[in-house]
Amino acid sequence: MQYSISEIAKIIGADSLLPAPDSRISRLLTDSRSLTYPSDTLFFALETSSGDGHRYVKSLYDRGVRSFVVSGSFSCSDDLQDANILYVESPLAALQTLAANHRRRYDVPLIAITGSRGKTTVKEWLNQLLQADIEIVRSPRSYNSQIGVPLSVWQLDKDSAMGIFEAGISQPGEMAKLKEILKPEIGIFTNIGPAHSAGFESIEQKCREKALLLDGCRSIIYNADDPLISGCVKAAPEMIGWSRTDPEAPLYICDVVRGNGRTEFRYIYKGGQSAVLEIPFEGEHELENAIHCLAVMLLFGINQETIRRRMASLTPVGTRLEVIEGVNGCLLVHDNYTSDFNSLAPALDFMKRRITPDCKAMVIVSDLMHDADTDLEDLYRRMAELLAIAGVSRVIGIGPELMAHKGCFGPESEFFASTEEFLHKKSTSDFRGELILIKGAPEFGFGRICELLEARQHETVLEINLDAVVSNFNAFRSRIKPTTAIACMIKASGYGAGSHELARTLQAQGASYLAVAVHDEGADLRRAGITMPILVLNPTVENFHALFADRLEPEIYSFDFLRALIREAGRYGITDYPVHIKIDSGMHRLGFLKEDLPELIELLRSQDRVVPRSIFSHLCAADDPMEDDYTQQQFDYFDECCRMLLSAFPERKILRHILNSTGITRFPDHQLDMVRLGIGLYGVKTMHDGSQDYLRPVSSLNTVIISLKNWPEGTTIGYNRRGTLKRQSVIATIPVGYADGINRHLGYGNTSVMVNGIKCPTVGSICMDACMIDVTDVADVKVGDRVEIFGENIPVDDLAEVLGTIPYEVLTSVSQRVKRVYYRE
């Protein structure tokens, strides 16, 4: 549906400058990087913790956008004279108001899903189960936030017969706004858990807030076995509280049997006849998600045979977007999410943000999922148009429908009837220096294409959760003033995690600075397309020209280095180059002392080649309360140095920063102008008193079992017969060793790894490329089972404690031969 801009102005109550009041709007935009169709787009200049959308109005205008919602403080320049400008008190509130008005225009049933886990899976499974019967609009991926929900609801149109939307919150007061937008008839509360609880006083408060979404629903579906949820959900005309313990529950689940990748169970609905279902999954979470979907189908009156047939054919919902190093200089973006037209745009948007000038974008895509009444010619024409707008230079289509509609695509496109035909006819030599989006429906098995194109095939993988990076960044940001900047430490290749994807993520989140150790790390980020300011902490005199060329800002820690830098800046005709003055307030490693400052100030003021951008120091014992007196001495010493330098340059804004991750937590009164976020960004706690329990681990080192052997008591395992079994044992070999970064001191049972929820100790010595673990206590263990070395269940701190070191060393020791996989849910 299209709205005129004057109609939208009236809906949101805007004061407007409308040189073109009849302009038609069909698309809403909140992120300038996601622009696709400028002419019919309305941009909302949101002010969030990660940035100010008003900064991008002019650049969007230059790209063809002519309609903007801005706050009242925005100053409209003369070069925006033909733009429609809508002034409101809050662009976010205006977006939500517009979405709520749009929702009320369509009298269609709407299902809203909330909970701590499973929202996206339930939504996608409901779509799989119901799409043959009804035209469904649903949230793209996990668009469930204060911004995501309005953008999801905007998709409703005259052809929509049902909406299925997720709703997630991060702090009190948010759900009431989402409820007003959605006005759901059916509410589903999947579960409640500790995830994303940092903004709430307790899990009880979070549960009550989430339950607000269900108030006023005609029907509510929830797990009646959870007393917390049951106590928070208010009565509705139709309450379907399912239970696995109470035969009197509206939906009773019993006789659950698992095996061979499937789960069979019996259900009784409202005291009627029992029926048996089978789903193609074994996990407890999958069973819960399937029960919620079953409740919806029963509520809709779908017959038992149809339910049985459709539930048995459910397919996995891959929620990950993975970034993997590919062959021949390629970079792979693997999206294993539902492959339909609506999911294509977010995947392309994610890919576009990783395009660099020397890397062309291509897509390997399967036939799209759709309902039976879809006009295929129109569908694939729109798909081709979307790919072209996204800058995709090469398309490989796989599937009979794409083969039949290849005329919609350009001459550079290739088409194959099946994944098998593609794998037979193409090889790794056909791909070089490309950014490749791989996106296929589950039945096409595109995982095999990823395996072909991955640069490293090692079974051991370091997985980096970019959502956890964002969560940790925002958690620290919520603990500082809005005016305090954040410098993020990504030295040592992002503490072993790899710096490129981390830098892209942090740049998008609004970090003020990135900090690296040496010039090469900064130059590498520039080659990867990172444009934000980069601080180099250990520059050397050989790198001056490269520093200037890559716009890298050096730490200044000595007179010799400063004089050499000024001299070289003069050679290249450079003026006002930003530098960062290091003060030695007590670490006694690098930096100027207080008595050096008069000479330093005189030198800085005597020339115009370099200028101080910041003054900073480093706490040496912030995590030790016994050393708080010394830490206070550092604060006092640094404050004196700051006053001296700032008074000498009253005309300049010079940033002050001394706090690290621990300092942010323990000494918030000293946050000054900027803080430096290091190990805390990666989810490693430096304090174990509960003050950092909100942190989420970012890096997880995982491998798989490649061999299983049964051995009697007394058998020796490994080199020098150092591991002697004290019982009849099942011993697994895993392909990870000291060449991958697993210290040999972790052998001999000194640490354990996680297999299927059970901690399994190492046995014998750690080998170069393998080690052995005792899996005797793991039920149904098999070759191929996943093994966690460290991550969610085995904190990296545990390994560090065994080794008598710190988590930094463990993280940075992971070998470069170990494949890095970056993902977002």
Side-chain angles (χ1 to χ4, degrees):
M1 178 176 178
Q2 289 190 338
Y3 288 73
S4 70
I5 192 66
S6 58
E7 185 179 9
I8 290 176
K10 184 177 180 181
I11 292 170
I12 64 177
D15 294 327
S16 309
L17 298 174
L18 301 178
D22 295 328
S23 299
R24 309 304 293 177
I25 298 297
S26 60
R27 304 173 196 277
L28 308 183
L29 180 69
T30 61
D31 188 328
S32 62
R33 296 164 298 180
S34 302
L35 178 66
T36 51
Y37 300 92
S39 61
D40 57 355
T41 289
L42 174 61
F43 177 67
F44 288 78
L46 304 184
E47 297 174 276
T48 68
S49 57
S50 60
D52 183 356
H54 295 88
R55 294 185 299 172
Y56 305 102
V57 168
K58 180 58 170 64
S59 63
L60 285 169
Y61 176 87
D62 292 340
R63 294 162 64 188
V65 178
R66 288 296 180 270
S67 298
F68 303 89
V69 176
V70 300
S71 66
S73 60
F74 177 73
S75 178
C76 184
S77 58
D78 291 341
D79 49 6
L80 299 175
Q81 285 185 352
D82 63 334
N84 296 305
I85 307 293
L86 280 62
Y87 291 98
V88 296
E89 183 175 341
S90 165
L92 175 58
L95 172 67
Q96 295 170 341
T97 298
L98 179 59
N101 180 277
H102 185 71
R103 161 70 180 108
R104 288 193 290 272
R105 295 193 178 198
Y106 297 98
D107 185 22
V108 298
L110 192 148
I111 301 174
I113 308 168
T114 192
S116 298
R117 183 188 62 247
K119 296 186 293 295
T120 300
T121 297
V122 171
K123 176 195 67 184
E124 292 301 328
W125 279 359
L126 285 174
N127 183 64
Q128 290 181 29
L129 295 165
L130 301 174
Q131 64 179 349
D133 304 323
I134 194 168
E135 182 78 18
I136 296 172
V137 172
R138 66 195 196 282
S139 311
R141 299 195 73 88
S142 53
Y143 275 36
N144 56 38
S145 67
Q146 299 292 299
I147 300 171
V149 169
L151 295 179
S152 299
V153 168
W154 186 254
Q155 297 177 99
L156 288 168
D157 61 24
K158 60 181 178 57
D159 296 322
S160 306
M162 175 182 290
I164 307 177
F165 300 106
E166 302 177 42
I169 55 174
S170 57
Q171 59 187 17
E174 291 184 337
M175 190 58 87
K177 299 174 184 176
L178 300 186
K179 175 190 169 188
E180 180 61 27
I181 297 169
L182 292 170
K183 297 284 188 184
E185 293 188 10
I186 300 170
I188 301 175
F189 200 141
T190 59
N191 48 64
I192 193 70
H196 314 299
S197 295
F200 300 94
E201 296 177 358
S202 65
I203 194 169
E204 291 81 5
Q205 183 193 38
K206 183 172 75 168
C207 189
R208 289 194 301 271
E209 288 288 327
K210 286 181 177 289
L212 289 175
L213 177 68
L214 312 180
D215 290 356
C217 284
R218 175 175 54 82
S219 305
I220 296 176
I221 297 166
Y222 65 101
N223 179 359
D225 290 337
D226 188 317
L228 183 55
I229 294 177
S230 296
C232 291
V233 173
K234 295 181 180 179
E238 183 93 42
M239 299 288 286
I240 305 179
W242 60 265
S243 174
R244 294 175 59 181
T245 61
D246 180 9
E248 301 302 317
L251 177 58
Y252 177 51
I253 308 296
C254 56
D255 300 336
V256 177
V257 179
R258 293 184 173 91
N260 299 318
R262 308 187 75 80
T263 299
E264 182 181 276
F265 62 93
R266 187 163 59 91
Y267 71 90
I268 302 173
Y269 182 54
K270 293 185 176 180
Q273 275 195 320
S274 68
V276 176
L277 286 183
E278 185 179 86
I279 59 172
F281 307 96
E282 275 191 80
E284 181 64 26
H285 296 331
E286 286 83 356
L287 175 59
E288 285 188 10
N289 294 335
I291 294 170
H292 286 111
C293 294
L294 168 63
V296 173
M297 298 183 79
L298 292 168
L299 182 65
F300 287 174
I302 298 175
N303 66 70
Q304 288 185 353
E305 174 57 26
T306 300
I307 292 175
R308 184 198 63 76
R309 187 179 69 255
R310 292 182 184 177
M311 294 287 275
S313 63
L314 285 172
T315 59
V317 177
T319 58
R320 284 190 176 187
L321 263 170
E322 297 180 334
V323 181
I324 309 167
E325 183 182 348
V327 298
N328 305 325
C330 292
L331 187 67
L332 313 181
V333 176
H334 183 204
D335 181 10
N336 53 13
Y337 187 63
T338 303
S339 185
D340 60 5
F341 184 80
N342 286 340
S343 70
L344 183 58
L348 289 170
D349 182 53
F350 185 84
M351 180 194 70
K352 280 195 304 182
R353 301 183 189 195
R354 282 145 183 84
I355 295 176
T356 56
D358 58 345
C359 190
K360 292 184 177 180
M362 72 161 295
V363 170
I364 302 175
V365 65
S366 76
D367 286 351
L368 297 178
M369 299 170 64
H370 55 79
D371 59 51
D373 297 326
T374 297
D375 181 338
L376 295 185
E377 183 70 23
D378 177 66
L379 175 67
Y380 289 107
R381 178 191 55 76
R382 289 188 294 127
M383 177 184 180
E385 180 182 303
L386 185 60
L387 293 173
I389 290 173
V392 174
S393 59
R394 181 183 176 200
V395 177
I396 292 180
I398 297 176
E401 290 183 356
L402 278 165
M403 287 279 289
H405 295 87
K406 59 185 178 182
C408 298
F409 299 83
E412 297 297 317
S413 303
E414 300 176 80
F415 296 89
F416 302 90
S418 65
T419 303
E420 289 72 20
E421 182 186 0
F422 168 87
L423 293 172
H424 177 69
K425 293 185 177 180
K426 305 298 284 188
S427 70
T428 55
S429 61
D430 295 311
F431 304 89
R432 187 171 301 277
E434 294 172 292
L435 176 60
I436 307 174
L437 172 63
I438 302 173
K439 183 172 177 61
E443 61 267 26
F444 285 87
F446 271 21
R448 291 173 291 167
I449 297 177
C450 275
E451 291 174 5
L452 171 71
L453 298 180
E454 286 179 14
R456 296 181 177 89
Q457 300 295 334
H458 197 357
E459 295 93 340
T460 301
V461 176
L462 185 68
E463 296 186 336
I464 297 95
N465 185 343
L466 298 178
D467 288 330
V469 173
V470 172
S471 175
N472 295 337
F473 179 84
N474 287 336
F476 277 101
R477 181 160 51 188
S478 70
R479 286 158 174 78
I480 61 176
K481 295 179 295 187
T483 54
T484 301
I486 300 179
C488 293
M489 314 299 289
I490 57 172
K491 60 183 181 177
S493 189
Y495 290 50
S499 59
H500 292 183
E501 286 301 317
L502 292 174
R504 291 187 182 102
T505 300
L506 294 166
Q507 181 168 270
Q509 284 303 117
S512 299
Y513 265 89
L514 299 176
V516 298
V518 296
H519 160 264
D520 288 348
E521 292 179 326
D524 192 40
L525 291 175
R526 292 293 187 230
R527 301 294 87 77
I530 302 303
T531 58
M532 64 185 296
I534 298 175
L535 166 60
V536 180
L537 297 171
N538 300 111
T540 60
V541 294
E542 293 85 2
N543 289 332
F544 288 134
H545 177 62
L547 280 172
F548 299 145
D550 288 320
R551 307 180 317 284
L552 305 176
E553 303 177 18
E555 167 189 313
I556 305 297
Y557 52 82
S558 71
F559 285 110
D560 288 342
F561 183 81
L562 176 57
R563 291 189 176 101
L565 180 65
I566 292 171
R567 183 171 59 252
E568 290 300 303
R571 283 185 57 200
Y572 292 105
I574 290 171
T575 58
D576 292 337
Y577 200 81
V579 298
H580 301 262
I581 307 301
K582 178 69 174 287
I583 299 297
D584 182 357
S585 64
M587 176 72 82
H588 303 323
R589 184 173 61 183
L590 289 172
F592 295 97
L593 299 174
K594 183 167 57 177
E595 51 264 34
D596 296 326
L597 289 190
E599 181 181 353
L600 175 64
I601 290 168
E602 182 180 356
L603 177 55
L604 288 171
R605 291 193 63 83
S606 68
Q607 50 77 54
D608 64 354
R609 299 300 178 183
V610 303
V611 295
R613 179 71 181 102
S614 82
I615 177 172
F616 72 105
S617 191
H618 199 106
L619 299 176
C620 63
D623 56 350
D624 187 353
M626 299 296 292
E627 294 289 349
D628 280 359
D629 288 345
Y630 189 81
T631 299
Q632 186 58 51
Q633 291 177 30
Q634 284 195 264
F635 287 139
D636 294 341
Y637 189 97
F638 181 63
D639 285 345
E640 290 184 46
C641 293
C642 288
R643 284 195 295 270
M644 293 173 67
L645 186 69
L646 268 61
S647 64
F649 294 91
E651 73 283 1
R652 291 195 174 276
K653 172 62 176 177
I654 300 175
L655 302 175
R656 301 162 298 154
H657 49 109
I658 191 172
L659 294 187
N660 54 9
S661 298
T662 308
I664 298 170
T665 302
R666 296 197 62 226
F667 305 104
D669 291 344
H670 294 273
Q671 60 187 261
L672 305 176
D673 304 303
M674 188 160 71
V675 295
R676 298 189 305 278
L677 183 52
I679 195 68
L681 179 66
Y682 301 89
V684 177
K685 302 173 188 175
T686 57
M687 302 298 299
H688 297 277
D689 57 1
S691 61
Q692 294 181 337
D693 285 354
Y694 51 83
L695 295 179
R696 298 171 58 190
V698 167
S699 296
S700 179
L701 184 62
N702 303 290
T703 188
V704 296
I705 293 174
I706 59 172
S707 173
L708 286 169
K709 297 283 181 64
N710 289 276
W711 298 110
E713 179 182 353
T715 303
T716 59
I717 304 295
Y719 283 117
N720 303 114
R721 306 186 67 193
R722 296 282 300 277
T724 302
L725 301 181
K726 295 180 172 53
R727 62 175 177 172
Q728 174 84 22
S729 302
V730 181
I731 302 300
T733 301
I734 56 177
V736 60
Y738 59 77
D740 301 297
I742 306 302
N743 191 292
R744 294 188 77 244
H745 292 90
L746 295 173
Y748 321 117
N750 288 329
T751 193
S752 295
V753 299
M754 187 69 76
V755 181
N756 298 342
I758 304 295
K759 287 188 175 182
C760 302
T762 57
V763 180
S765 56
I766 304 292
C767 311
M768 178 181 286
D769 308 301
C771 65
M772 284 67 74
I773 57 175
D774 185 343
V775 295
T776 308
D777 298 326
V778 182
D780 301 321
V781 66
K782 58 186 179 299
V783 170
D785 280 353
R786 180 184 173 97
V787 180
E788 180 185 299
I789 310 298
F790 63 76
E792 289 280 351
N793 304 293
I794 307 288
V796 70
D797 312 60
D798 290 0
L799 277 66
E801 185 175 353
V802 170
L803 297 171
T805 184
I806 56 177
Y808 300 70
E809 182 176 347
V810 178
L811 291 172
T812 57
S813 296
V814 178
S815 168
Q816 287 303 307
R817 82 173 184 176
V818 173
K819 177 171 66 179
R820 270 71 171 168
V821 174
Y822 305 87
Y823 68 93
R824 299 201 72 162
E825 298 290 353

